[in-house]
Amino acid sequence: MALKHEPTAPYHSAQDALRVLETVSRHTTGINDTELAKLTGLTPERLTTLLRMLRREGYVEQITDGAYITGDALSRLGSAQGREKALRDKLQRTLDRLRDSVGAAVYLSRYVDGEVKVAQYADGPTTPVVNEWVDFRYSAHATAIGKSLLGQLDSNGRRDHLSRHKMARLTSRTITSDKLLLHRLESQPPTVPHLDLQEYAVGTVCAAVPITAGSAVGCLALSLPVEHAHRLRQAADALNRNAAPVLLSLAI
């Protein structure tokens, strides 16, 4: 399966953050921000933003003289023993924070062995998850998650998926023409969130942004009750801006 990989802003942020982390890791006694900027080639403004994110995520710590060292989160993810649980716990904390910041249920999804899979999600009393009344594996054509994942495949990968899953009409807004869907996926810029405006379920709107790490296809998504539809694009933009920590956790 080939990918139609076009790096997005969160991807570049994660790559820059990895560069900072690698530099900090090489300086076990600590390194200050001036030296970090020189060694990474990042502007002071860019570096300050990344260091703020890395400190919040627990990947770096600042010691008494202002220098930076690696943090506990990096040690846990870097250890082979218990890495899978450490990664899941780290991602869950990040998703919980995203849920609170965008005011919506948030989902981390992947395309695994030719199928859509919701790996983790964060919901709450005021941010309920979508009622999965039709298995997400069989409704990629109707969901923001599915469209974002299919959008990251090449044309053969998309056609293969649609050949295995009938495009059923789930609501009056569902696209059931594979030709129309494929055209929309092809023309969608990678930086623009995929939307589901009551195509999967009446009463719910969703948005999804890609988080492609290496050869793995994934996305971050959110859902809102339709009465909050006016917040969808703003929430999707916020989700996209804050996707870098998720990508970073998956890349470490």
Side-chain angles (χ1 to χ4, degrees), residues 7-8 54 75 107 135 141 161 203 213 221 228 252:
T8 56
L54 289 169
S75 301
Y107 312 76
D135 194 314
H141 64 291
H161 183 93
H228 291 191
I252 290 174

Side-chain angles (χ1 to χ4, degrees), residues 200-227:
Y200 173 76
V202 174
T204 303
V205 294
C206 306
V209 296
I211 51 162
T212 305
S215 61
V217 173
C219 73
L220 271 177
L222 62 86
S223 64
L224 288 167
V226 70
E227 56 267 27

Side-chain angles (χ1 to χ4, degrees), residues 3 24 122 145 197 223 230 238:
L3 305 184
V24 173
I145 285 172
L197 305 176
S223 64
H230 61 282

Side-chain angles (χ1 to χ4, degrees), residues 227-240:
E227 56 267 27
H228 291 191
H230 61 282
R231 292 203 295 115
L232 184 63
R233 288 187 184 276
Q234 184 180 7
D237 289 341
L239 190 71
N240 195 36

